[in-house]
């Protein structure tokens, strides 16, 4: 058993540790890649040097020949590669970018990818289960072969077959290597610096993620931060550790939970000097919160920028607590709390105000950060299956250690499933049983803080008040309705969804045969036919959870006084005043809660199925093996049209249930060319049988309405006496 708690790797034929041998090989190969990249840079600089340009003009025969030779060396596959031009601007940048877009990888990038593959092999020495797992093997092969579609399908299959928790924890040890390979091999030259930094172990730039600019991150900033002193409950005071120790501080953080509080303590050390300890919990699970900086948005900003509402709130708490200038201060945090305290330690002004003696981060991605005071002792403790620490760009097989003087523990714990392996109580248990030497080493470093606690104060951290999410469209009164799946707030709100509505002209008699057996419900006539709508939804964030939805409906006339062409006239009316609507023939959803809501609140014939949907781009695709249905194709350019609100009808007993659906998003109208509906089963299954009766097997829609991103709310069903 190694000091990090992991089992030793398989020995190489010469008796050496196979994992360490592979890591050394990876370091050597990276050195070769950096040498090739340096040659590429020098060659590119020479190619576009002003002196050579002048020489080519004065002596075209020799000057142009020299430039041609340099250009071939840079772009030829037998040379430095098609995308090896590194000139920051001008024609060199254009040629290099063109090489990337055409899929030409530079020799340096390909050699770096070889190093990354060696690092993955080193990880597999200690984790042979990844190599045996077919889903992980397919994903790794697809990424390293630069096959985007295969990689996406493999990832989806991995989540579907194993569940998101196991999939995330399985990916964690090799996540950084897969991201680096993808960045080095993709067609976007802007990703090269990110991929190269991940491959070589160099520190990431200030903008480490392509497409995540500082301005965008600033837009995630939810407030200026605030801190308010709060009292602990009697039960919490009994749990607080009476003396300073590493596990004692971690148990204090676990007691605080993730409700937005931090803890500050005075500890009298063995030498009689009073020192101060800041203890910061991690991110709260679930949706972003406007009342606390400890949520996903705050963690994301903390990861890539040193200034955030969390750090500002901590500074206000420290000022209120009254720590003397120059006092010794230890910073201890878990998850997002570890990132926040490391951001404080990076601040030179903060380190001039207090002497930051220790920074200890547990389960935090902090390896790309450095304290401003070189005297600060830093400890980073991570579980290899915890995916959160991998977000800093370093994986378990990283060839270089950017902080060689720090105390770093990267161990393999018995808890492999995420988020279980990220929870602080698991880390505490592992420090007690799996890696006790790490606990002893940290306690030894914290010796000046091993003494009685003489003062404890908790602070509630807050964001500046922001409008509620979805304001003002989704800011409306709600009512709790009991269901078999528990109470549900209605209207049901959809914060982030995509949709495609496929509209088919069908035989009016066939449509009437699928409607309820009542004389007063008739399909709306469009010439000699009727209109059937197959609605496809990808709901990413809703009040009843994320799910995929497939709905087949038929346009119907006014239930009391049907009029010719009333559908066209209804488009001029407000949605709540419309007389026509769409009667739902079948509702298929991928979550149990959505099925219960559709059946019990909206009275729609709902069933739960498995389905995959991609509706955010021009290429749309929906497949449901349970329904035996596939929709795919590429949309042509569409026209903007007004937002579409709907009236949906369901049936419960002798009554009709009317549901008002309001939508806010950019709706576009497309022709149906290029979109195909296929039925993959001959069975008369729900939905498939109805589509066949309408004559839609293999049909193309007359037109398609799409909305790649929208918000929506659906009211509770109103009972109509019809």
């Amino acid at each position: 058993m190694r000091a990090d708690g992991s089992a030793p790797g398989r020995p190489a034929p010469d008796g050496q540790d196979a994992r360490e041998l592979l890591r050394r090989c990876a370091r050597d190969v990276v050195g070769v890649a950096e040498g090739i990249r340096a040659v590429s840079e020098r060659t590119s600089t020479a190619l576009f040097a002003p002196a050579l340009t002048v020489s080519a003009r004065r002596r075209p025969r020799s000057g142009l020949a020299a430039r041609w030779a340099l250009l071939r060396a840079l772009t030829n596959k037998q040379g430095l590669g098609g995308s090896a031009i590194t000139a920051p601007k001008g024609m060199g940048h254009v040629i290099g970018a063109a090489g990337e877009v055409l899929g030409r990888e530079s020799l340096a990038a390909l050699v770096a990818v070889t190093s990354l593959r060696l690092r993955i092999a080193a990880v597999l020495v200690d984790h042979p289960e990844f190599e045996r797992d077919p889903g992980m093997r397919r994903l790794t092969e697809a990424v390293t072969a630069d096959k985007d579609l295969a990689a996406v399908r493999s990832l989806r299959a991995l989540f579907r077959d194993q569940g998101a928790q196991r999939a995330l924890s399985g990916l964690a040890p090799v996540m950084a290597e897969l991201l680096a390979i993808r960045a080095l091999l993709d067609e976007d030259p802007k990703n090269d610096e990110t991929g190269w930094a991940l491959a070589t172990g160099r520190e990431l730039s200030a903008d480490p993620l392509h497409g995540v600019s500082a301005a965008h991150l600033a837009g995630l900033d939810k407030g200026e931060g605030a801190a308010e002193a709060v009292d602990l409950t009697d039960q919490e005071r009994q749990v607080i550790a009476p003396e300073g120790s590493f596990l004692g501080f971690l148990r204090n953080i676990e007691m605080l939970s993730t409700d937005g509080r931090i803890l500050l303590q005075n500890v009298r050390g063995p030498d009689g000097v009073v020192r101060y300890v800041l203890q910061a919990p991690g991110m709260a699970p679930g949706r972003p919160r406007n009342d606390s900086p400890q949520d996903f948005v705050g963690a994301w900003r903390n990861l890539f920028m040193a200034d955030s509402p969390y750090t500002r709130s901590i500074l206000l708490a420290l000022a209120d607590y009254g720590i003397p200038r120059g006092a010794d201060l230890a910073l201890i945090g878990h998850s997002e709390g570890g990132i926040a305290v490391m951001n404080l330690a990076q601040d030179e002004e903060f380190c001039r105000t207090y002497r930051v003696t220790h920074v200890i981060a547990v389960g935090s991605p902090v390896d790309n950060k450095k304290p401003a005071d070189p005297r600060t002792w830093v400890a980073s403790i991570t579980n290899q299956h915890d995916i959160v620490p991998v977000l800093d760009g370093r994986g378990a097989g990283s060839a270089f250690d950017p902080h060689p003087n720090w105390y770093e523990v990267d161990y393999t714990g018995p808890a492999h499933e995420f988020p279980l392996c990220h929870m602080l109580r698991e880390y505490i248990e592992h420090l007690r049983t799996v890696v006790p030497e790490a606990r002893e080493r940290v306690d030894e470093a914290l010796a000046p803080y091993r003494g009685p606690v003489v003062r404890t104060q908790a602070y509630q951290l807050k964001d500046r008040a922001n409008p509620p999410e979805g304001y003002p469209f989704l800011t409306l009164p709600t009512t709790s309705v009991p269901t078999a799946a528990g109470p549900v707030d209605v209207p049901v709100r959809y914060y982030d969804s995509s949709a495609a509505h496929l509209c088919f002209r069908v035989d009016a008699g066939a449509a009437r045969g699928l409607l309820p057996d009542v004389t007063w419900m008739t399909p709306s006539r469009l010439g000699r036919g009727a209109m059937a709508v197959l609605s496809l939804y990808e709901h990413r964030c809703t009040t009843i959870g994320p799910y995929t939805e497939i709905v087949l409906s038929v346009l119907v006339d006014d239930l009391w006084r049907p009029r010719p062409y009333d559908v066209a006239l209804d488009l001029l009316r407000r949605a709540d005043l419309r007389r026509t609507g769409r009667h739902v023939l079948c509702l298929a959803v991928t979550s149990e809660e959505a099925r219960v809501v559709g059946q019990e609140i909206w009275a729609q014939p709902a069933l739960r199925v498995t389905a995959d949907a991609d509706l955010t781009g021009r290429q749309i695709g929906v497949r449901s093996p349970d329904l035996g249905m596939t929709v795919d194709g590429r949309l042509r350019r569409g026209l903007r049209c007004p937002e579409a609100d709907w009236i949906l009808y369901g049936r419960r007993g002798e009554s009709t249930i009317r549901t008002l659906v309001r939508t806010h998003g950019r709706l576009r109208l497309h022709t149906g060319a290029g979109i195909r509906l296929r039925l993959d089963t001959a069975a008369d299954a729900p939905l498939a049988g109805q589509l066949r009766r309408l004559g839609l097997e293999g049909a193309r829609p007359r037109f398609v309405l799409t909305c790649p991103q929208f918000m929506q709310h659906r009211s509770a069903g109103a009972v109509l006496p019809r």
Side-chain angles (χ1 to χ4, degrees):
M1 183 72 69
R2 290 196 181 93
D4 64 356
S6 62
R10 296 191 298 267
D14 59 356
Q16 300 183 60
D17 188 311
R19 186 179 70 166
E20 295 304 321
L21 182 61
L22 288 167
R23 285 189 173 185
R24 286 200 299 272
C25 290
R27 285 193 288 269
D28 293 341
V29 174
V30 162
V32 174
E34 289 187 315
I36 296 172
R37 195 169 193 249
V39 171
S40 299
E41 292 173 352
R42 291 196 297 271
T43 307
S44 179
T45 302
L47 174 62
F48 297 100
L52 187 58
T53 302
V54 173
S55 174
R57 290 174 181 172
R58 291 179 178 176
R59 300 177 181 84
R61 179 175 295 181
S62 60
L64 289 176
R67 297 194 78 177
W68 178 248
L70 289 171
L71 182 61
R72 287 194 62 190
L74 281 168
T75 59
N76 197 289
K77 288 185 177 181
Q78 283 72 39
L80 295 170
S83 61
I85 296 177
T86 57
K89 57 183 178 180
M91 185 55 64
H93 177 73
V94 172
I95 298 175
E100 291 278 3
V101 173
L102 293 174
R104 301 280 295 277
E105 291 86 18
S106 70
L107 178 61
L110 292 175
V111 174
V113 167
T114 301
S115 172
L116 291 167
R117 288 174 174 144
L118 286 169
R119 283 161 51 176
I120 292 177
V123 174
L124 293 177
V125 170
D126 286 339
H127 301 282
E129 68 274 13
F130 299 156
E131 195 172 20
R132 292 192 297 267
D133 187 290
M136 290 292 298
R137 188 170 61 250
R138 283 194 298 269
L139 176 63
T140 304
E141 291 173 353
V143 172
T144 55
D146 191 21
K147 297 179 179 178
D148 286 349
L149 186 58
V152 171
R153 288 174 175 170
S154 299
L155 187 60
R156 285 181 175 175
L158 190 67
F159 275 73
R160 183 173 62 249
D161 294 343
Q162 296 183 347
Q165 294 181 354
R166 184 180 171 193
L168 284 172
S169 58
L171 285 171
V174 295
M175 177 66 78
E177 283 71 28
L178 294 178
L179 291 175
I181 290 173
R182 186 65 199 93
L184 285 170
L185 294 181
D186 72 1
E187 289 78 17
D188 191 344
K190 295 179 180 179
N191 285 338
D192 282 355
E193 284 303 318
T194 299
W196 196 264
L198 292 172
T200 60
R202 292 190 286 115
E203 186 173 349
L204 291 171
S205 63
D207 184 17
L209 291 184
H210 168 50
V212 184
S213 64
H216 178 68
L217 286 169
L220 294 179
D221 192 348
K222 303 181 298 165
E224 297 178 352
E228 178 185 351
V230 294
D231 293 330
L232 298 172
T233 65
D234 293 338
Q235 183 178 1
E236 289 173 337
R237 289 188 176 279
Q238 294 176 2
V239 176
I240 291 292
E243 293 190 354
S245 69
F246 181 35
L247 288 189
F249 295 139
L250 293 184
R251 290 192 179 102
N252 292 346
I253 295 174
E254 184 188 17
M255 178 274 299
L256 291 173
S257 184
T258 54
D259 59 1
R261 292 181 298 169
I262 63 169
L263 200 68
L264 285 167
Q265 289 185 310
N266 293 17
V267 179
R268 190 178 303 279
D271 55 0
V273 176
V274 174
R275 296 177 176 86
Y276 303 85
V277 185
L278 166 66
Q279 297 146 69
M283 179 185 75
R287 297 171 53 79
R289 301 167 52 187
N290 287 314
D291 62 336
S292 170
Q294 288 174 233
D295 62 3
F296 176 78
V297 173
W300 194 249
R301 182 180 173 91
N302 262 315
L303 181 59
F304 296 114
M305 300 189 76
D307 181 55
S308 70
Y310 200 164
T311 56
R312 288 182 229 132
S313 300
I314 291 176
L315 289 173
L316 293 173
L318 291 170
D320 182 79
Y321 191 71
I323 300 178
R325 187 178 183 86
D328 289 354
L329 176 63
L331 309 176
I332 303 174
H334 168 245
S335 187
E336 184 191 359
I339 309 173
V341 298
M342 180 56 80
N343 285 338
L344 289 174
Q346 288 189 123
D347 189 291
E348 294 183 0
E349 179 61 31
F350 182 82
C351 291
R352 283 194 291 267
T353 304
Y354 310 107
R355 183 175 180 268
V356 180
T357 60
H358 300 76
V359 176
I360 303 171
V362 178
S364 305
V366 297
D367 291 324
N368 60 347
K369 301 176 184 290
K370 296 180 180 179
D373 188 344
R375 299 172 297 175
T376 301
W377 188 85
V378 180
S380 173
I381 300 173
T382 56
N383 182 345
Q384 287 188 15
H385 286 277
D386 184 356
I387 199 170
V388 173
V390 181
L391 297 176
D392 59 11
R394 296 189 63 230
S398 181
F400 287 92
D401 185 353
H403 306 304
N405 296 324
W406 290 18
Y407 180 66
E408 184 177 24
V409 178
D410 186 34
Y411 69 97
T412 303
H416 290 184
E417 291 192 355
F418 184 88
L420 179 63
C421 60
H422 181 63
M423 292 183 177
L424 184 55
R425 68 169 179 267
E426 292 296 316
Y427 274 104
I428 292 174
E429 180 62 21
H430 297 166
L431 285 166
R432 194 179 63 83
T433 59
V434 179
V435 281
E437 61 279 5
R439 183 197 72 236
E440 295 168 1
R441 177 69 181 88
V442 176
D443 266 330
E444 180 183 348
L446 286 174
Y449 294 84
R450 299 295 301 273
V453 174
V454 295
R455 182 190 173 195
T456 297
Q457 179 63 61
Y459 282 87
Q460 182 74 50
L461 307 186
K462 298 181 179 180
D463 280 328
R464 183 180 58 194
N466 268 0
E469 188 176 2
Y471 176 85
F473 179 73
L474 294 179
T475 309
L476 65 165
T478 61
T479 303
S480 181
V481 176
T483 69
V488 173
D489 289 338
V490 292
V492 177
R493 284 144 290 155
Y494 297 79
Y495 292 88
D496 181 17
S497 298
S498 300
H501 304 279
L502 281 59
C503 302
F504 300 88
R505 185 178 177 182
V506 298
D507 180 75
R512 180 66 188 87
L514 294 174
L515 293 175
D517 189 18
V518 291
T519 58
W520 40 261
M521 183 174 287
T522 57
S524 299
R525 299 296 292 262
L526 299 175
R528 296 184 177 180
M531 180 68 70
V533 181
L534 183 64
S535 298
L536 314 171
Y537 293 95
E538 183 182 4
H539 299 304
R540 292 176 290 273
C541 181
T542 82
T543 54
I544 57 174
Y547 67 99
T548 299
E549 177 180 0
I550 302 172
V551 187
L552 178 62
S553 59
V554 172
L555 269 67
V556 295
D557 288 330
D558 184 354
L559 304 185
W560 276 270
R561 298 181 182 86
R563 299 177 178 87
Y565 307 108
D566 208 13
V567 172
L569 294 175
D570 252 3
L571 295 177
L572 304 177
R573 301 187 181 108
R574 286 176 9 207
D576 54 338
L577 298 179
R578 290 178 186 169
R579 300 183 176 94
T580 63
R582 292 159 47 198
H583 182 81
V584 176
L585 301 178
C586 183
L587 168 66
V589 293
T590 57
S591 78
E592 180 62 19
E593 188 170 12
R595 185 197 67 79
V596 171
V597 170
Q599 187 168 301
E600 297 186 11
I601 295 181
W602 299 321
Q604 297 169 3
L607 63 151
R608 184 178 179 182
V609 299
T610 58
D612 293 325
D614 185 1
L615 305 172
T616 57
R618 296 272 295 277
Q619 185 75 32
I620 67 172
V622 175
R623 183 175 182 273
S624 174
D626 293 345
L627 296 174
M629 185 199 76
T630 301
V631 176
D632 56 18
R634 183 170 181 82
L635 295 165
R636 297 183 178 179
R637 290 187 177 274
L639 301 174
R640 286 286 304 274
C641 56
E643 295 172 349
D645 296 331
W646 311 97
I647 298 296
L648 297 180
Y649 291 125
R651 190 75 178 157
R652 181 185 297 134
E654 299 299 320
S655 302
T656 300
I657 308 300
R658 181 179 186 267
T659 302
L660 174 61
V661 180
R662 290 193 178 274
T663 303
H664 177 59
R666 295 185 175 182
L667 192 69
R668 300 190 75 88
L669 175 65
H670 309 261
T671 64
I675 305 299
R676 177 75 71 179
L677 167 64
R678 298 196 307 271
L679 299 180
D680 305 327
T681 176
D684 193 23
L687 191 66
Q690 294 170 332
L691 290 170
R692 283 197 177 88
R693 292 177 64 182
L694 292 172
L696 299 182
E697 184 173 7
R700 296 183 185 274
R702 288 297 180 93
F703 60 90
V704 180
L705 293 169
T706 66
C707 198
Q709 187 172 26
F710 66 91
M711 294 185 292
Q712 186 180 87
H713 59 79
R714 303 184 187 182
S715 68
V719 180
L720 302 180
R722 292 292 278 177

